[in-house]
Structure formats: C-alpha cells, structure tokens
Amino acid sequence: MWLMAAVGSALFAGVTSILAKLGIRKTDSDVATAIRTIVVLAFSWLMALVTGQVGAIGTLTAKAWAFLALSGVATGASWICYFKALSMGDVNKVVPIDKTSSVLTILLAIVLFGEVNNLAVKLLGSVAILAGTLLMVQRTGEKSADASAAGHPHNAYLAYAVASAVFAALTSILAKVGIEGVPSNLATAVRTCFVLAMAWIVVGMRGKLPQARLDALNAREFAFICLSGIATGASWLCYYFAIQNGPVSVVVPVDKLSILVSMAFAAVVFHERYTARSLTGLALIAAATVAMAVWA
C-alpha cells in the first residue's frame, strides 16, 4: 500500500511542476508560492476532516509539533527556492537538480534511521542518480529559453535549484520523525500551517504584498497556481502516508520519479528540447530509482 502511495505522490508531483510553471510566467514566484499554499492548506485540512483524523490533534506531543514545524519551515524554504528556479530556468534543467534531494535523503536515512538493508543497491543507486543529474544539467555554454527571455545569466537558476534540493531532503527527514504515531493526513495539514506562515512572511518581508491582491493577478495564471496547489496537496497526502508506513530510503526515490512526468509534459507543453546527453541522464536516474524501489 505504501509503495502505491509513493507512486501516486510521484504522479501528482510531476503534474505540480508543470501547473506551477504555467502560473509563474508573469506572477512573482514568491507570491505564487504563498497563494498555492493556501490551496494546499485547505485541501489538506479537508482531507484530515473527511478521514476523521482532526480529532487526534489533541494527542500530538511536543516533539511531534516541533518536528512538524521544522519540516514545514524546510518545505517553505524549498518551495521558495524551487519556484524561483523554475521562474528563471527550463523545467528540464531545474527538476533534475531538485530531485537530487533523494540522494541526500537516502544518506541521512541510512545514518539516522539505520536503513541499511541492501546498502550496496542504495549507494550505487545514489551514485547513478548524481551521474544522471550531471548529464542533464546544461553545459556552461548553453542557455535556457527562460533565462534568455528574462535576461538572467545562463546558470542563475542553479543556486536556487540546489538550495531547493537541500531543504527538500531536510523536509523528508524531519517529517519522518514528526509523523511518528500521528495520522498522516493530520500531520500533512499541521505542517502546511507552518509552510503557509513562512511563505507569507517572505512575501511581506520582500514588499510583495500588493502583488498578491486578486485584482493584481493574472486570472489565467491564478487558476494554474490554484490547480498546482491541489496537485501538491494530493501528492503530499500520498507521500506522507508512504514515508509513515515505508522506509524513507525507498519512498523518496520512488517519489522522485515525478521527473518523468514533469519532463514529458515539459516537452509537450513548453516544447523543451532534450539532447541525447540529457535523455541518457534521465534514463540513469529512472533506472537507479526503479532498482532501489525493487531491491532496496
């Protein structure tokens, strides 16, 4: 059951990237992140209510609150960096870097949670994911379409994409501790409160609140932002059920197969082109992920 939930998480996460990209063509990425978090919050609390898990909120320990809060803050930081990177670079460049968070998560899970079953497969798989990512990241002389159009340096997205991966890895580890003994839907709803707070604090500190008014938003992009929030909520519900019931070092790589969905849609929707080099890298990442899901 947890494996199917991980696959569902990957599918919804892949769709999220495309919908979010469509929502930040003109809309500021920080504003888009804050708005979509409202949708995720509403969706997650609705699911917690429907599944009857809201009543368990009184049983949460101080430890659970602390780690869910830290996980939420890490998620907020990851989102802010991720959508900034998406606004500056092509999907097929940003997503692979973000997905390297699985490597850091696997290593942390091995060290912190003792998930050493089939250790060789996990370590070799991690190396293959990193190698595949290096193949997919554009060379120094290449320039993404979005960077060219916006006047950004060709590698301006890189620092944000790397930061997104680091914070995403911390999110998974902190959440694994925080949801111990907590219903997964309720845990998702609680941590989203902290994501929302952080997202809007960033918008306020950067003086972007006027851009978040409904009359200041592009209606079409606003719709895509909301749809991406629903997809994110669905992905999270699947993901946190999976990591609560399965090993983090296996669930996370499966979830990162969302890269296949994202890149397929990027080719169709944004007409992003793939070289033989980038497709080889994608194949490495996919093969390593499947190997870890099957044998690790």
Side-chain angles (χ1 to χ4, degrees):
M1 181 65 75
W2 62 264
L3 185 57
M4 291 303 297
V7 172
S9 174
L11 292 174
F12 285 118
V15 174
T16 293
S17 298
I18 300 303
L19 293 172
K21 178 73 173 179
L22 290 167
I24 56 177
R25 291 275 177 101
K26 298 177 181 177
T27 305
D28 179 82
S29 61
D30 291 334
V31 172
T33 299
I35 292 172
R36 67 192 293 277
T37 308
I38 295 175
V39 179
V40 178
L41 183 70
F43 185 87
S44 58
W45 278 104
L46 176 63
M47 291 305 298
L49 182 64
V50 169
T51 55
Q53 296 181 5
V54 172
I57 194 169
T59 65
L60 267 63
T61 64
K63 176 185 176 183
W65 277 105
F67 277 95
L68 287 173
L70 289 171
S71 174
V73 171
T75 298
S78 179
W79 273 11
I80 289 166
C81 293
Y82 181 63
F83 291 107
K84 182 65 175 178
L86 272 181
S87 71
M88 302 170 73
D90 295 338
V91 173
N92 62 31
K93 307 301 182 185
V94 175
V95 172
I97 297 173
D98 174 69
K99 300 311 178 189
T100 59
S101 62
S102 61
V103 175
L104 180 55
T105 304
I106 291 168
L107 296 177
L108 288 174
I110 290 171
V111 174
L112 299 177
F113 303 138
E115 296 182 3
V116 294
N117 291 338
N118 296 310
L119 184 60
V121 174
K122 292 175 180 176
L123 294 179
L124 289 174
S126 297
V127 171
I129 290 173
L130 284 176
T133 301
L134 289 175
L135 287 172
M136 294 187 72
V137 175
Q138 63 191 18
R139 293 171 180 168
T140 305
E142 298 174 349
K143 196 168 186 177
S144 74
D146 287 343
S148 300
H152 296 302
H154 71 276
N155 60 349
Y157 71 92
L158 190 57
Y160 289 102
V162 171
S164 170
V166 172
F167 284 120
L170 292 175
T171 292
S172 299
I173 296 301
L174 292 167
K176 176 69 174 180
V177 178
I179 64 176
E180 185 177 352
V182 181
S184 59
N185 290 345
L186 176 61
T188 300
V190 169
R191 63 186 298 280
T192 306
C193 294
F194 296 99
V195 180
L196 181 69
M198 181 176 180
W200 281 100
I201 287 172
V202 169
V203 169
M205 290 178 63
R206 294 182 176 176
K208 297 178 179 179
L209 285 174
Q211 299 179 49
R213 299 196 322 266
L214 284 177
D215 59 353
L217 294 168
N218 178 282
R220 181 175 180 273
E221 293 196 354
F222 178 72
F224 280 118
I225 291 169
C226 291
L227 287 172
S228 75
I230 294 173
T232 298
S235 177
W236 277 10
L237 291 174
C238 293
Y239 181 70
Y240 290 106
F241 174 84
I243 66 170
Q244 184 177 53
N245 295 281
V248 175
S249 55
V250 177
V251 172
V252 171
V254 174
D255 172 68
K256 299 311 178 185
L257 280 177
S258 60
I259 187 175
L260 298 175
V261 181
S262 296
M263 294 188 66
F265 274 102
V268 174
V269 179
F270 303 125
H271 308 293
E272 294 184 3
R273 294 173 297 175
Y274 304 125
T275 63
R277 177 172 174 264
S278 63
L279 289 175
T280 300
L282 179 61
L284 261 178
I285 293 172
T289 301
V290 171
M292 284 189 283
V294 174
W295 291 296

